[in-house]
Amino acid sequence: MPTETRQRQVDRSRETRRKLMAATVECLVERGWAGTTTTMVAERAGVSRGAQLHHFRTRGELVAAAVEHLGAESVLQLKERASRVGGSTAAVVELIADFYASDLFTAALELWVAARTDPELSAVVVPLQARIGRETHRLAVELLGADETRPGVREAVQITLDLVRGLALANQLTDDARRRERLVRHWAQMLEAVL
Amino acid sequence: MPTETRQRQVDRSRETRRKLMAATVECLVERGWAGTTTTMVAERAGVSRGAQLHHFRTRGELVAAAVEHLGAESVLQLKERASRVGGSTAAVVELIADFYASDLFTAALELWVAARTDPELSAVVVPLQARIGRETHRLAVELLGADETRPGVREAVQITLDLVRGLALANQLTDDARRRERLVRHWAQMLEAVL
């Protein structure tokens, strides 16, 4: 097969994956885990069932890949935005909090909750959760310029992430943005004193 | 109808409600929202479908009543335990964190997440969430002996609750107790300094 043709196939295949993953996250956000069927995702993505099955054998695989993909994309976005706002603790904490209060968190939450009572899904989601947790921690340390060898710094970074996760949860049913902003500002001051 | 007979009926009716609510929370924890059908709850509670419908017309009503009931019971338990451990900030924060990392939170989480994509359930859950939020805040203020007129105290109490909510979420798929204990101890020290 000529190189150009092969490259076109690789591109097309990558584009199909990307469409399927984007449609999956949209479905999770709009309809939740129960409403995210492989049929609905294929339709929304404009991809045939055969092509879908070629890329992802099960709903669990598809959904985990989608969340991981979105997570990786969001991390890039977050880094890019962080480089623009400058490195003040308040600005970085606000960025991280907004990152959590996004569709990515909503999609991931659907997945975490469904995995709790679905062993097959859990097998996919538990390692994914651990990986996202580690990466987010590393990114927060980097963005905050935190020196984790100093006492209390590692804990303060972890508290930041657990706090924004709790705040993101409070944002699922109602718009909690004003309260979140106020608490994030307050926490950023406390964190600043520790760092 | 003689008073004694009427009293017996009232007792029996209350006992039926209690059984249905307990079975509902068990179902939510074991099987999640999707697996919590009214038929399964009635069976588990040993209550006829007719009796169940007499008390709760819809699955949403049943489930919201169950979470509210468990919430009220848990608040009583929490107060009782708090009176035994004494009022140190560390002990109280630990109690609150354990309270959140319980079956009540798991059941409530199933409900919050399902309500996000189910308008009928959302109509029941949004006011419930607001009520539980207010009551938990009031209880935390009371247990911590916090003076919210002092600057930063109200925010610190809210941060406590959002933090333990985030920690509880991290505990859904894997046992996160050790990390939680460490962070809770650390936060309690920071909170103590504010209070």
Side-chain angles (χ1 to χ4, degrees):
Chain A
M1 200 189 295
T3 316
E4 206 182 307
T5 312
R6 194 179 299 143
Q7 186 53 44
R8 254 206 310 275
Q9 282 187 354
V10 169
D11 287 350
R12 205 158 47 217
S13 174
R14 193 176 291 152
E15 178 59 15
T16 302
R17 273 187 79 90
R18 204 200 53 72
K19 275 187 194 161
L20 284 167
M21 294 193 287
T24 303
V25 171
E26 278 174 34
C27 259
L28 279 173
V29 171
E30 268 177 37
R31 295 166 176 262
W33 166 253
T36 304
T37 61
T38 48
T39 314
M40 179 162 293
V41 168
E43 260 176 37
R44 188 184 281 249
V47 166
S48 74
R49 288 282 286 145
Q52 186 185 41
L53 280 168
H54 173 71
H55 287 283
F56 302 105
R57 278 170 311 157
T58 65
R59 179 164 78 137
E61 261 184 25
L62 168 64
V63 166
V67 169
E68 178 141 34
H69 167 75
L70 188 61
E73 267 194 356
S74 307
V75 163
L76 289 180
Q77 261 185 38
L78 187 58
K79 279 189 178 176
E80 200 267 320
R81 277 190 226 159
S83 69
R84 275 186 289 144
V85 298
S88 93
T89 304
V92 170
V93 173
E94 201 181 307
L95 265 182
I96 296 174
D98 289 348
F99 172 64
Y100 268 82
S102 70
D103 281 356
L104 168 64
F105 179 82
T106 299
L109 183 61
E110 288 287 341
L111 210 54
W112 295 176
V113 168
R116 200 183 58 80
T117 50
D118 181 335
E120 214 174 307
L121 186 60
S122 178
V124 183
V125 169
V126 168
L128 173 64
Q129 185 189 30
R131 199 155 57 241
I132 291 183
R134 277 195 305 271
E135 278 170 22
T136 317
H137 184 90
R138 200 179 305 138
L139 180 63
V141 167
E142 183 189 323
L143 295 181
L144 290 165
D147 175 4
E148 290 199 302
T149 61
R150 294 182 50 204
V153 168
R154 185 172 171 76
E155 286 79 7
V157 173
Q158 288 188 305
I159 287 173
T160 305
L161 294 174
D162 282 288
L163 172 63
V164 297
R165 203 185 296 125
L167 288 169
L169 192 54
N171 202 47
Q172 292 302 303
L173 289 182
T174 49
D175 182 358
D176 194 39
R178 278 186 57 197
R179 194 182 73 94
R180 184 172 69 249
E181 277 168 30
R182 193 165 48 81
L183 295 182
V184 161
R185 265 201 309 276
H186 196 86
W187 167 249
Q189 284 173 12
M190 294 180 84
L191 178 62
E192 175 92 349
V194 176
L195 297 180
Chain B
M1 200 190 296
T3 317
E4 207 181 304
T5 312
R6 194 179 299 142
Q7 187 54 44
R8 255 205 309 274
Q9 282 187 352
V10 169
D11 287 351
R12 206 158 45 219
S13 174
R14 193 175 292 153
E15 179 59 14
T16 302
R17 273 186 78 90
R18 203 200 53 73
K19 274 186 195 162
L20 284 167
M21 293 192 288
T24 303
V25 171
E26 279 174 35
C27 259
L28 279 173
V29 171
E30 269 177 37
R31 293 164 178 264
W33 166 253
T36 303
T37 61
T38 48
T39 314
M40 180 161 295
V41 169
E43 260 176 37
R44 187 184 282 248
V47 166
S48 73
R49 287 283 286 145
Q52 185 186 40
L53 280 169
H54 172 71
H55 287 284
F56 303 105
R57 279 169 310 158
T58 66
R59 179 163 79 136
E61 263 185 24
L62 169 64
V63 166
V67 169
E68 179 141 35
H69 167 76
L70 187 61
E73 266 194 357
S74 307
V75 163
L76 289 179
Q77 262 185 38
L78 187 59
K79 279 189 178 177
E80 200 267 319
R81 277 190 226 159
S83 69
R84 276 186 289 146
V85 297
S88 93
T89 304
V92 170
V93 173
E94 202 180 305
L95 265 182
I96 296 174
D98 289 348
F99 172 65
Y100 267 82
S102 70
D103 281 357
L104 168 63
F105 179 81
T106 300
L109 184 61
E110 288 286 342
L111 210 54
W112 295 176
V113 169
R116 198 182 60 78
T117 50
D118 180 334
E120 214 175 307
L121 186 60
S122 178
V124 182
V125 168
V126 169
L128 173 64
Q129 186 190 30
R131 201 154 57 241
I132 291 183
R134 277 195 304 273
E135 278 171 21
T136 317
H137 183 91
R138 201 178 304 138
L139 181 63
V141 168
E142 184 188 323
L143 295 180
L144 290 165
D147 175 4
E148 291 198 301
T149 61
R150 295 182 49 204
V153 169
R154 186 173 171 75
E155 286 79 6
V157 173
Q158 287 187 306
I159 287 172
T160 305
L161 294 174
D162 282 288
L163 173 63
V164 297
R165 204 185 295 125
L167 288 168
L169 192 53
N171 201 49
Q172 292 302 304
L173 289 181
T174 49
D175 182 358
D176 192 41
R178 279 187 56 197
R179 194 182 73 94
R180 183 171 70 249
E181 277 167 30
R182 192 165 49 82
L183 294 183
V184 161
R185 264 201 310 276
H186 196 86
W187 167 249
Q189 284 174 12
M190 295 180 83
L191 178 62
E192 176 91 351
V194 176
L195 297 179

